[in-house]
Amino acid sequence: MSTRRRRQRQERVTLEDVALAANVSSITVSRALRNPEKVTPELRDRILRHVAEMGYVPDFAARALASRTSGMIGVLSPSLANYAFISVMRGIEDRVGMTDLRIQYANTGFEPDEQVKQLRLFLSQNPVGLIVVSGVESPQLLDILAQAPCPIVQALDIASAPIGMAIGIDNRIASETATRHLIERGYRRIALFSGGPAIHAYPRLAGYRAVMEEAGLFDPALVVQHQGHSSVSLGGHLIDRLFRQAPDADAAFCLCDDVALGAIFECQRRGIRVPEDFGICGYHDLDFASVSVPTITTVRVPRYDIGFRAADKLLRAVAGGKTVSSVVDVGFQLVERETTARRSER
């Protein structure tokens, strides 16, 4: 193979090369990659076909020099393994995947100090924009976000004060709805099961407490929290703790479905009938909630849709060159299933 042919094969395909092959302008190719909704489906398919055939790869380094950004979207998430957050991230990836931008994740582990650390690292890389998954409670983090030079979208929780753009549900109101449902089903000694640091659970704890106090049923002994990640095994552990400190408890509102599933397993092991003796309500409506035995009453959160729309809001802000503060409440649904099917005794 000649030196000339090797050099030609190693040359990088440029945006202009793709534009020439597709018989369009470079701006049109860029638009098809960054904002595919702005070109016709036929033109987009033609451009993407040439991109694939020619092996075009965006030159992020060159773009960073030209635009003074890294071509990267930073996503701060409390966990990269929790089922609830995985669905949000899948929605983000599907929307950003329609562009030639890339995503970089940071796992904050539900720790406010780690949120601040990772946010500063992101900002040092001049990101195109940032998505903050879950609530923002740290005053220091709020200050940094308020001064960030790029668009920011807060996703999943809008109960805490949002910065800039936000999309999600009001976790406090959702918690109030779930707690009232348990009361309406005749349960009175209703526990709250929470995994993760208390800061993550504040809105839902506040909603639970408000309803229980309103009904004259609140008892601190019924609030059972664990400073660690939620899991199925945690549900059994929290049931054990609950009956040690409140033996007369007759229900539990679990802040994640995996904890609810573990609570069901532990009740079955102890011979406690669900829902006759003990009611259980979960949160998020994870895949297994509708097929467990018994099926789990839960708060359905449109997690994938929230992630997709959060990324879309961010991309629109980037394309428009300005950020318009807005808060979108996508709503939630209480899905009543077998774990709270007991009739009210009132």
Side-chain angles (χ1 to χ4, degrees):
M1 184 180 293
S2 68
T3 302
R4 180 180 179 183
R5 288 183 63 189
R6 285 200 304 269
R7 184 181 301 117
Q8 288 175 338
R9 182 166 294 182
Q10 292 170 358
E11 286 178 354
R12 186 186 189 100
V13 177
T14 67
L15 191 74
E16 290 74 17
D17 294 332
V18 176
L20 183 62
N23 195 29
V24 296
S25 68
S26 299
I27 294 176
T28 301
V29 174
S30 179
R31 185 178 294 120
L33 295 174
R34 287 175 173 270
N35 305 103
E37 72 280 359
K38 292 187 176 181
V39 299
T40 64
E42 295 79 8
L43 180 58
R44 181 177 66 245
D45 290 344
R46 175 153 57 94
I47 292 172
L48 293 180
R49 185 173 65 254
H50 284 290
V51 167
E53 290 175 352
M54 300 174 69
Y56 171 67
V57 178
D59 189 344
F60 291 110
R63 179 182 300 161
L65 290 173
S67 64
R68 297 186 180 180
T69 67
S70 61
M72 175 267 291
I73 293 175
V75 179
L76 282 170
S77 177
S79 172
L80 300 182
N82 185 289
Y83 293 119
F85 299 116
I86 289 174
S87 294
V88 177
M89 291 183 285
R90 194 171 72 247
I92 293 172
E93 290 182 353
D94 282 355
R95 179 61 185 94
V96 176
M98 299 177 184
T99 74
D100 56 352
L101 298 173
R102 68 187 190 280
I103 302 172
Q104 183 173 324
Y105 292 102
N107 181 2
T108 63
F110 296 94
E111 296 293 341
D113 290 344
E114 188 65 18
Q115 271 190 322
V116 171
K117 174 185 173 182
Q118 295 295 340
L119 176 61
R120 284 176 169 161
L121 288 173
F122 271 152
L123 292 176
S124 70
Q125 300 176 59
N126 297 320
V128 170
L130 294 172
I131 298 176
V132 181
V133 180
S134 196
V136 177
E137 300 289 347
S138 165
Q140 186 178 11
L141 186 69
L142 290 170
D143 289 342
I144 297 173
L145 289 173
Q147 300 175 33
C150 62
I152 297 166
V153 177
Q154 181 177 321
L156 199 56
D157 176 43
I158 61 171
S160 56
I163 292 295
M165 300 175 288
I167 182 166
I169 73 167
D170 189 318
N171 278 295
R172 173 169 178 148
I173 295 176
S175 179
E176 291 175 356
T177 300
T179 307
R180 286 197 184 97
H181 168 72
L182 288 166
I183 294 174
E184 289 168 359
R185 287 292 174 269
Y187 301 104
R188 291 294 177 269
R189 297 286 287 165
I190 304 166
L192 177 82
F193 284 176
S194 172
I199 191 171
H200 171 66
Y202 280 159
R204 281 176 271 185
L205 174 59
Y208 159 84
R209 179 166 186 160
V211 172
M212 292 292 282
E213 287 182 341
E214 180 183 305
L217 300 173
F218 180 74
D219 179 355
L222 294 170
V223 178
V224 187
Q225 294 180 293
H226 176 74
Q227 300 301 306
H229 299 299
S230 66
S231 65
V232 175
S233 60
L234 177 61
H237 173 68
L238 295 181
I239 282 284
D240 182 67
R241 281 182 51 190
L242 172 64
F243 286 130
R244 288 175 184 272
Q245 58 195 52
D248 59 342
D250 62 0
F253 172 35
C254 307
L255 299 194
C256 195
D257 287 337
D258 51 2
V259 173
L261 184 63
I264 291 173
F265 290 158
E266 182 62 18
C267 285
Q268 292 171 341
R269 190 183 71 81
R270 293 172 178 242
I272 298 172
R273 298 176 303 166
V274 177
E276 294 84 358
D277 302 328
F278 196 85
I280 294 175
C281 180
Y283 207 93
H284 286 305
D285 195 23
L286 301 180
D287 291 344
F288 57 78
S290 63
V291 296
S292 65
V293 180
T295 55
I296 301 173
T297 293
T298 186
V299 175
R300 176 176 293 163
V301 181
R303 303 179 309 282
Y304 175 88
D305 186 52
I306 289 171
F308 190 95
R309 293 174 64 179
D312 186 69
K313 285 175 71 70
L314 184 68
L315 292 170
R316 290 179 184 276
V318 171
K322 62 180 180 179
T323 300
V324 178
S325 297
S326 64
V327 178
V328 178
D329 188 342
V330 300
F332 61 89
Q333 179 185 357
L334 180 71
V335 182
E336 300 182 35
R337 297 195 180 107
E338 295 172 346
T339 55
T340 60
R342 185 178 76 168
R343 293 182 179 180
S344 172
E345 298 175 351
R346 290 181 296 173

